Amino acid sequence: MSTDLNSVILIGRLTRDAELSYLQSGSAVANISIAVNRNKREGEQWVSEVNYFDISLFGKQAESLKQYLLKGKQIAIQGALKQDRWEKDGQKFSKVRIVATNVELLGGRSDGTGYGSGGSGSYNANPSGGYQPKNNYGSSGASQYQSSEGFGPGDAGDSFGGDGGDFPEDIPF
């Protein structure tokens, strides 16, 4: 028996502020884009290559995180690839985006106090709405929001951790 897998984890910096909109059903959607730097060797020197990814967040997660998803902020996302297809003037188009199930805010605000009024912390979405403290990151300077349809405690969603200190502070835009 064959099992298919569609999972992606990325760490990058937001290229624009989150754009919040609502579907006809009333569900919130936040669209963001991140830039992910990758260093590769070309001959004798190292060259930085930037890749850009479009990401969609849904529901209460989108509404709660919108205020923190600002251009230049570093985030880690976990989700699945989704290919959108459409036709315009007889020509077919497609675009791949990431539907996020887990978003982690890395680092802190520019004033060094962390995200939100509570500083750092970790939060899980619960089915009845709102977010419950998760408290497994200590003082790492990261906040995590997890979709209720995503991963639970102890799953791969806990693997980001850290304060993002291993990543350069250069913003590629």
Side-chain angles (χ1 to χ4, degrees), residues 14-77:
L14 292 161
T15 62
R16 64 177 193 251
D17 293 353
E19 299 169 1
L20 188 65
S21 60
Y22 292 87
L23 302 174
Q24 289 180 344
S25 65
S27 181
V29 179
N31 290 306
I32 58 175
S33 179
I34 64 170
V36 178
N37 288 323
R38 176 178 168 248
N39 293 322
K40 63 180 186 174
R41 190 173 193 122
E42 287 186 1
E44 296 291 318
Q45 64 184 26
W46 287 92
V47 177
S48 181
E49 173 183 272
V50 181
N51 292 288
Y52 299 93
F53 299 95
D54 291 327
I55 301 163
S56 296
L57 309 168
F58 291 92
K60 291 198 180 289
Q61 179 182 27
E63 292 176 318
S64 298
L65 288 177
K66 195 239 184 261
Q67 64 182 323
Y68 304 113
L69 297 174
L70 305 174
K71 182 178 179 176
K73 297 294 183 185
Q74 187 178 44
I75 65 168
I77 66 103

Side-chain angles (χ1 to χ4, degrees), residues 112-146:
T113 61
Y115 283 97
S117 60
S120 65
S122 180
Y123 301 86
N124 282 332
N126 66 38
S128 62
Y131 291 90
Q132 304 280 324
K134 192 172 167 195
N135 296 330
N136 64 337
Y137 286 104
S139 60
S140 69
S143 295
Q144 178 181 6
Y145 291 83
Q146 211 167 37

